[in-house]
Amino acid sequence: MARASLLFALLAVAATAVAGARAPGTATGPPLAAYGNASSVVRRRAVENGLGRTPQMGWNSWNHFFCQINEEIIRETADALINTGLAKLGYKYVNIDDCWAEPNRDYQGNMVPNKQSFPSGIKALADYVHAKGLKLGVYSDAGTQTCSLRMPGSLDHEEQDVKTFSSWGVDYLKYDNCNNGGRNVVERYTKMSNAIRKYGKNIFFSLCEWGDNNPATWAGGMGNSWRTTGDIADNWNSMTSRADQNDKWASYAGPGGWNDPDMLEVGNGGMTEAEYRSHFSIWALAKVWAGPLTGNRKAVVLWNRQGYQATITAYWSSVGLRASAAVTVRDLWAHSSSSAQGQISASVAPHDCKMYILTPK
């Protein structure tokens, strides 16, 4: 079951900035969705914990399993990351989302793993994941309970919970925003950030504030990623709207801190193959948006968001190349190479995309 979930619901966890100003539309069809490196940079103070120098990648349980998780699924998912070769490509995090803990804390006020679904405990699971060269993440909430209402949140227990997570060997914390009593959002997330600085220096801190208070403008000094959108759903409109919402914050992302348009839905069944290809391409491109690729290479996606076939053109001036530059064009989905100069055009099916790496000759 978990192997299928990995292949069908692989998530670029907190998938980073879908970014930058789009190149202008050209030729026939929809506005051009061609992305390269951002031309203007509005950087923010980055948290200095040595983590998140590149965007985090891996797997998260929520979009496929929701609360129906257990330690066997997590172990099998870790196995699958290794056996499929995805770990070698950078998919390192195995993250447990909501519902992993007992409804109540123990007599000392500590969170307790759910005795039925995680009988071996989180530390044993972290040891298993670490032995494979992977990292383990857990979930909590900046409120009194998590969003599922099935386990306690960490509000006013920040230091105690971080000490617990660190003792288990946890590498990643996704920190949600439910049941917060209306308390100030910056104060709540600052408390957890300070606790992690003090007791969990190796924990990647992923703020899941839903973008309500423009966290890109203030979360850079607190954590390694911040949600810029509400929760994604497994449909075209939800996916594209989150790409658009995330787009404007591109210049705030970079090494140490990344925009998060929520996790991939690829393979969960609500979109077509073409739509999932677009979804994966736009989220994957977010990984490189903070700067140019090595060797002055550029990543470009031609994304047809309309309901009809369209020809889309990306001019070199729109993606940061000299207008006269000759390049080798690598089509990442077709696994083919060609040459181009000045521009690249393609006929793109409805809701589909083309994704290229342009390498100057």
Side-chain angles (χ1 to χ4, degrees):
M1 183 68 167
R3 274 198 185 85
S5 77
L6 177 69
L7 298 175
F8 294 142
L10 182 63
L11 308 177
V13 182
T16 77
V18 177
R22 292 190 200 86
T26 57
T28 60
L32 176 66
Y35 299 78
N37 61 299
S39 58
S40 61
V41 176
V42 181
R43 291 294 287 130
R44 75 289 174 277
R45 183 168 59 94
V47 63
E48 295 297 334
N49 61 2
L51 304 175
R53 306 311 296 171
T54 58
Q56 68 277 34
M57 300 199 307
W59 179 92
N60 177 289
S61 59
W62 186 256
N63 282 359
H64 190 77
F65 289 105
F66 302 99
C67 279
Q68 305 306 308
I69 54 172
N70 57 56
E71 62 183 41
E72 182 181 0
I73 288 172
I74 304 306
R75 286 196 183 97
E76 290 183 1
T77 299
D79 294 344
L81 283 172
I82 299 298
N83 295 338
T84 59
L86 288 167
K88 290 182 179 179
L89 299 177
Y91 291 86
K92 297 292 188 181
Y93 285 100
V94 181
N95 288 358
I96 311 167
D97 211 280
D98 205 349
C99 309
W100 60 267
E102 287 286 325
N104 300 305
R105 295 172 178 271
D106 68 15
Y107 73 97
Q108 295 179 314
N110 296 315
M111 279 190 177
V112 180
N114 186 284
K115 293 179 175 61
Q116 291 187 330
S117 52
F118 293 91
S120 301
I122 302 301
K123 186 181 187 307
L125 206 52
D127 290 344
Y128 184 89
V129 169
H130 291 160
K132 294 180 176 294
L134 302 174
K135 298 179 182 296
L136 186 78
V138 296
Y139 165 101
S140 190
D141 187 279
T144 56
Q145 288 182 292
T146 62
C147 296
S148 70
L149 300 177
R150 293 174 57 169
M151 58 175 277
S154 292
L155 186 62
D156 297 328
H157 292 267
E158 291 85 1
E159 290 193 357
Q160 182 174 17
D161 288 350
V162 172
K163 288 178 182 178
T164 298
F165 300 155
S166 294
S167 73
W168 291 341
V170 166
D171 304 291
Y172 189 109
L173 176 64
K174 175 183 173 181
Y175 202 48
D176 221 331
N177 195 30
C178 290
N179 306 303
N180 57 56
R183 289 170 57 175
N184 181 275
V185 64
V186 175
E187 290 179 4
R188 288 183 290 113
Y189 280 93
T190 297
K191 287 181 70 176
M192 180 54 81
S193 176
N194 289 342
I196 289 175
R197 290 173 191 265
K198 191 172 181 180
Y199 297 111
K201 294 181 179 179
N202 295 319
I203 295 176
F204 186 110
F205 185 29
S206 174
L207 292 77
C208 185
E209 182 270 352
W210 317 322
D212 290 348
N213 295 278
N214 302 331
T217 64
W218 51 263
M222 294 186 194
N224 300 110
S225 70
W226 44 86
R227 275 277 291 279
T228 55
T229 73
D231 288 356
I232 195 171
D234 189 16
N235 64 72
W236 173 257
N237 289 336
S238 177
M239 184 270 285
T240 56
S241 68
R242 273 131 193 87
D244 290 338
Q245 291 166 34
N246 192 63
D247 185 58
K248 66 180 178 180
W249 303 113
S251 59
Y252 289 84
W258 305 96
N259 295 316
D260 172 10
D262 205 6
M263 299 169 293
L264 288 173
E265 291 279 6
V266 172
N268 282 327
M271 288 184 265
T272 66
E273 182 178 343
E275 290 168 346
Y276 281 138
R277 185 160 46 240
S278 291
H279 184 17
F280 196 93
S281 297
I282 295 300
W283 262 241
L285 186 63
K287 297 191 306 171
V288 299
W289 185 257
L293 296 174
T294 57
N296 199 33
R297 296 175 303 156
K298 307 296 177 182
V300 176
V301 170
L302 306 182
W303 187 18
N304 182 3
R305 298 171 57 155
Q306 303 303 315
Y308 49 83
Q309 191 88 11
T311 298
I312 306 174
T313 299
Y315 293 99
W316 286 183
S317 58
S318 298
V319 297
L321 290 170
R322 291 183 298 105
S324 61
V327 304
T328 297
V329 179
R330 180 64 179 176
D331 187 321
L332 297 182
W333 286 110
H335 306 290
S336 62
S337 298
S338 60
S339 297
Q341 187 169 4
Q343 66 185 60
I344 185 170
S345 295
S347 180
V348 185
H351 292 189
D352 207 344
C353 73
K354 303 287 186 179
M355 187 173 189
Y356 307 103
I357 297 294
L358 308 180
T359 304
K361 295 183 177 180

